[in-house]
Amino acid sequence: MCDAKGVLLILDEIQTGLGRTGKLFAHENYGITPDVMTLAKGLANGLPMGALLATENVAGAFVPGTHASTFGAGPVVPSRPKPPWAS
């Protein structure tokens, strides 16, 4: 429906993403693909880190300084050697 109307589908996967619903992202349970998706919480195994993911068609609209995070990380968090879901 969003594609037909030319509207972006933006999903907040902060509490539902990263395997909490049986799939890596909750939207996969419904066969839909968002244009923009937000992640946090489980992304850094409890440490403060947030992310915004976008499709290639939409990503060009985000340039430095046009988006921010209330759950952004300091330099320690992204320096982790592996993501929490990697074995």
Side-chain angles (χ1 to χ4, degrees), residues 14-83:
I14 290 173
Q15 293 189 27
T16 57
L18 301 172
R20 291 184 175 103
T21 65
K23 301 268 187 182
L24 184 57
F25 301 115
H27 71 267
E28 294 174 314
N29 291 297
Y30 303 99
I32 59 175
T33 302
D35 296 295
V36 178
M37 179 172 58
T38 59
L39 297 170
K41 300 199 181 206
L43 190 59
N45 205 21
L47 295 171
M49 183 174 215
L52 180 129
L53 307 177
T55 62
E56 198 170 334
N57 291 340
V58 176
F62 295 100
V63 296
T66 61
H67 65 291
S69 172
T70 58
F71 206 59
V76 171
V77 178
S79 68
R80 293 192 55 177
K82 288 194 238 179

Side-chain angles (χ1 to χ4, degrees), residues 1-7 9 32:
M1 178 167 45
C2 290
D3 288 340
K5 299 285 184 179
V7 175
L9 178 60
I32 59 175

